[in-house]
Amino acid sequence: MDEARNDGGGRRLTWLLTSSAASHLGDGIGKVALPLLATTLTRDPVLIAGLSATQFLPWLLFAAVAGALVDRIDRRRAMIVANTARAVAVGVLAVLVAAGGMTIWLVYLTALIIGTAETIADSAANALIPAVVGDGSLDAANSKLQACEIVGQTFLGGPVGSLTFALFAAFPFILNSAGFALAAAVLLGLAGTYRGQAERPVRPAKLRTELGDGLRWLRGHALLLRLVVVAGLLSLVSELAQAQLVLYALEDLHLSDATFGFFAFVGGIGGLIGAGTAPRLVRSAGRRAVVVGGIICCGLGFGGMGLVRSPVAGAALFGLFAAAVVAVNVVLATARHTLVPGELLGRVLGVWRTVVWGAIPVGALLGGVLTERLGTAARTFAVSGVAMLVIAAFAFGALRRFSLGDESDSAAALTHHDPGM
């Protein structure tokens, strides 16, 4: 990674952020257009939830392997290959939609392919942060990365996806494919090599051993082990409701396909606020307070959405959730980058995302069943909100003996083993 450090840190971060912005814009367009496409084929809440589950299933199946691979290969090249694969997959989907040959199962298959490539692209992007930042602020860099995700996926991608879908069903998928292609092309300007380990021949026989190294390291780290449990629980219960967002907007709030994206747009504003204020909140209140307080606000946002029937109020509460969950994500990302050795970052991140992102398909399917049983998606949001308040109480207890805010606390956490988790 020495060659990478000879380049200016700010310039390297700009290339990475530009690529991430293009990728997330394409992703945001697709994440609105795919469920809208699914609703033209079925209104079954379990099948709609199944689409969300399929998109995130690769994180449950392949995140740990992806993390190990990211530690063995050049992370920039991994992102280029993964984004190119996503561009091709979505381009094929656009052709099928235009030809009128879509079924719900083809939508599922495309979501599975995109999600599999995403495990490599996102793992590599997160592992690249410490290398491109150098001596800069990790909190600030992670906030910028979160801001790129929010602007691309909800602030711009959501409205563009819904409006273009209303005009021509294949249109958003063409733009989605172009976004992934641009993300791959931009990374060609990022100079340097970005291997997690010293360059050496790849020996596949050692992959299982390297996966075990990441898992054992995480199991022996009291603070990060608690954080991954908290993050996994939050991921599970938030997806109960998020997988039903399109049904909540269309059926409970009576929005149209075209206006559904603007509902997410308000969530994007909230997310930007969360990304922008997270570093200041950390400085003033500390990272533990931001995590616990953020989860409380997430619960209040989703719980409130279950009680209102006004689109304005529902969107505002979704914005509260988005602001809070982004602030929590900034703290969690910085904790990983601060505490995990660079040569293990990909593998630990792979284990982390196997748990946290792997919980998403489980939560999505449970949310679909819950909505079917309760009758409306709004009631599922209410249940999710209450569950988040319970998780906040658990997080307060699990983290009460830890401070996530300074170097001495981080060093202590590295050596503090507590089997009583």
Side-chain angles (χ1 to χ4, degrees):
M1 219 175 285
D2 293 337
E3 183 183 343
R5 293 190 184 281
N6 292 330
D7 188 20
R11 188 163 61 252
R12 296 196 309 269
L13 182 60
T14 298
W15 284 113
L16 178 60
L17 292 176
T18 302
S19 173
S20 295
S23 173
H24 287 306
L25 176 59
D27 210 19
I29 292 170
K31 284 185 177 177
V32 167
L34 273 175
L36 286 175
L37 178 61
T39 60
T40 67
L41 302 169
T42 180
R43 285 297 178 102
D44 186 326
V46 176
L47 287 176
I48 296 297
L51 175 60
S52 180
T54 301
Q55 287 177 297
F56 288 97
L57 182 61
W59 288 102
L60 180 61
L61 300 178
F62 308 126
V65 174
L69 290 174
V70 161
D71 279 344
R72 301 172 69 127
I73 62 180
D74 186 288
R75 291 159 176 173
R76 178 184 71 98
R77 292 179 183 175
M79 291 180 66
I80 291 173
V81 171
N83 281 320
T84 301
R86 291 197 284 181
V88 172
V90 181
V92 172
L93 175 66
V95 173
L96 292 174
V97 172
M102 287 305 300
T103 68
I104 189 65
W105 308 115
L106 287 175
V107 177
Y108 273 41
L109 177 61
T110 303
L112 185 63
I113 295 171
I114 295 170
T116 301
E118 186 180 32
T119 63
I120 296 290
D122 279 15
S123 295
N126 275 271
L128 266 176
I129 283 287
V132 300
V133 170
D135 296 329
S137 169
L138 285 172
D139 277 324
N142 282 312
S143 291
K144 290 175 182 177
L145 193 64
Q146 285 285 315
C148 286
E149 181 175 349
I150 296 155
V151 170
Q153 293 207 14
T154 55
F155 199 70
L156 294 177
V160 170
S162 60
L163 284 174
T164 53
F165 185 86
L167 292 173
F168 173 44
F171 195 4
F173 303 108
I174 296 171
L175 296 178
N176 188 355
S177 179
F180 289 141
L182 179 60
V186 166
L187 285 171
L188 297 175
L190 180 60
T193 56
Y194 297 87
R195 286 182 177 271
Q197 304 172 12
E199 190 164 344
R200 57 175 173 76
V202 175
R203 290 177 289 180
K206 281 194 170 183
L207 186 59
R208 176 180 289 184
T209 301
E210 293 183 352
L211 285 170
D213 290 342
L215 179 59
R216 283 189 294 273
W217 189 93
L218 183 59
R219 288 177 60 186
H221 194 293
L223 174 54
L224 276 185
L225 186 58
R226 283 164 166 75
L227 290 176
V228 75
V229 171
V230 169
L233 290 173
L234 180 60
S235 179
L236 176 71
V237 302
S238 64
E239 192 61 21
L240 289 176
Q242 286 204 94
Q244 300 297 302
L245 182 61
V246 65
L247 293 181
Y248 173 78
L250 299 182
E251 296 184 356
D252 292 306
L253 300 183
H254 306 294
L255 297 178
S256 66
D257 289 350
T259 56
F260 170 58
F262 289 99
F263 181 84
F265 176 84
V266 177
I269 295 175
L272 284 177
I273 293 172
T277 59
R280 282 174 285 180
L281 290 172
V282 166
R283 288 193 296 270
S284 62
R287 292 191 174 101
R288 182 177 61 180
V290 172
V291 170
V292 175
I295 297 172
I296 291 173
C297 290
C298 286
L300 295 176
F302 270 11
M305 287 174 69
L307 301 176
V308 302
R309 291 298 180 270
S310 163
V312 174
L317 288 165
F318 188 67
L320 172 64
F321 165 81
V325 79
V326 166
V328 171
N329 285 339
V330 167
V331 173
L332 296 178
T334 300
R336 292 195 304 264
H337 291 148
T338 301
L339 299 173
V340 182
E343 67 275 11
L344 282 171
L345 186 55
R347 279 165 282 177
V348 173
L349 183 61
V351 176
W352 178 292
R353 288 195 162 180
T354 298
V355 175
V356 177
W357 289 47
I360 292 176
V362 178
L365 291 175
L366 290 176
V369 173
L370 194 60
T371 297
E372 191 174 52
R373 294 292 179 87
L374 297 178
T376 68
R379 291 172 181 168
T380 300
F381 272 87
V383 171
S384 177
V386 172
M388 287 184 205
L389 296 179
V390 175
I391 293 171
F394 170 77
F396 178 79
L399 302 176
R400 69 185 184 280
R401 289 186 291 139
F402 295 90
S403 171
L404 287 68
D406 57 50
E407 294 295 332
S408 60
D409 292 319
S410 298
L414 285 169
T415 58
H416 181 183
H417 297 265
D418 183 0
M421 170 65 185

